[in-house]
Amino acid sequence: MPAWSAREARQAIRRGDWRGHTVGLAPAHVQGNLVILPAALASDFLRFCQQNPKPCPLLAVSAPGARGLPALGEDLDIATDVPAYRLFENGHPVSEVSDVSGLWRDDFVSFVLGCSFSFEEALLAAGIPLRHVAQGRNVAMYRTNIPTSPAGPFHGPLVVSMRPMKAAAAIRAVQVTARMPAVHGAPIHLGDPRLIGIENIDRPDFGDPVAIEADEIPVFWACGVTPQAVVTAAAPALCITHSPGHMLITDLLNRDLPFA
């Protein structure tokens, strides 16, 4: 990975010099999941986030039509600074683009949610290896049979991210991430994926498959891709999100996140 600051990473993304996933990019900085909705749906989605803080920990919400979020970065532009955006129409993903400036509307409200990439820095610092990071791959993500708490039209299944670990590392990972509620907090499940509705661990719904060794267990965290599953169920006429693993990199530092 290039040794960029958060601002340098955003500028490279804005220029089109970086289109890949952001795992390990500017690793000291908070990365965010993105959901952009028309203002008419914003209050319901805000309520959805408040009722589902594990998958949707709110970092910032924009004013209608605003492309900047000064609290997350002075030069940040929501419409250009994500490597890949996913466009939904009536709940269906229809395309992925690298810039949504031409689609921008004065009634768009942007929601930035905490991301597990932030707690990965803490896990690595605690000596817990992460195979997808070592391999330069996107984290594996899965739809589950765990329902979210509905708000207005927004409802649907919880999405989780998975990291395989030895049992001792998994115990330590629970301790580390439980102190970081702003970026999903402690895992929601360890062990048998079928208990949460995942029938084939080798085929993630999002991201890249990661091998689980014989002496490891899968550890699952609530994931900020959950809104994309929820958007599919709610079927708004238009919604823009990040493409899974292609996050918004902020100027916030992981070390400055509030701890539980």
Side-chain angles (χ1 to χ4, degrees):
M1 283 288 179
W4 286 331
S5 68
R7 186 171 184 271
E8 288 169 337
R10 289 197 301 272
Q11 289 175 334
I13 291 166
R14 194 179 303 171
R15 292 192 305 266
D17 294 340
W18 185 269
R19 289 286 172 254
H21 64 68
T22 56
V23 175
L25 199 62
H29 288 268
V30 175
Q31 298 195 25
N33 302 278
L34 178 64
V35 179
I36 303 171
L37 286 162
L41 293 170
S43 61
D44 281 333
F45 187 73
L46 177 61
R47 195 157 48 88
F48 178 83
C49 294
Q50 292 169 334
Q51 293 177 185
N52 296 277
K54 288 282 279 187
C56 302
L58 275 171
L59 295 178
V61 182
S62 78
R67 288 169 49 169
L69 282 167
L72 301 184
E74 289 186 7
D75 68 333
L76 186 151
D77 187 337
I78 288 289
T80 62
D81 292 357
V82 170
Y85 299 84
R86 180 169 283 185
L87 308 184
F88 291 81
E89 293 179 0
N90 300 310
H92 300 289
V94 294
S95 63
E96 289 194 357
V97 298
S98 59
D99 187 315
V100 294
S101 300
L103 302 172
W104 200 258
R105 293 175 11 184
D106 290 341
D107 68 333
F108 276 165
V109 176
S110 300
F111 296 81
V112 181
L113 313 175
C115 171
S116 61
F117 293 176
S118 289
F119 70 58
E120 288 182 345
E121 183 191 24
L123 293 178
L124 292 168
I128 299 171
L130 298 173
R131 185 163 297 122
H132 71 284
V133 175
Q135 295 176 345
R137 311 186 85 185
N138 199 353
V139 71
M141 294 163 272
Y142 306 83
R143 290 185 177 90
T144 72
N145 60 7
I146 302 171
T148 56
S149 178
F154 297 105
H155 65 285
L158 179 72
V159 174
V160 294
S161 60
M162 186 280 293
R163 294 157 185 83
M165 298 178 181
K166 292 180 171 60
I171 293 169
R172 180 64 177 139
V174 172
Q175 295 170 333
V176 170
T177 58
R179 299 181 62 233
M180 305 180 72
V183 286
H184 305 305
I188 59 97
H189 182 68
L190 295 84
D192 189 348
R194 291 170 296 182
L195 296 177
I196 56 172
I198 301 170
E199 295 300 326
N200 190 344
I201 198 69
D202 297 322
R203 298 187 64 182
D205 295 298
F206 312 96
D208 299 322
V210 178
I212 303 173
E213 303 298 337
D215 62 346
E216 294 177 329
I217 57 173
V219 184
F220 300 91
W221 278 266
C223 179
V225 173
T226 297
Q228 299 190 27
V230 169
V231 163
T232 299
L238 178 63
C239 178
I240 302 171
T241 72
H242 68 291
S243 179
H246 299 69
M247 317 304 291
L248 177 70
I249 299 174
T250 78
D251 288 348
L252 303 181
L253 293 171
N254 296 321
R255 69 185 184 208
D256 293 335
L257 288 170
F259 284 90

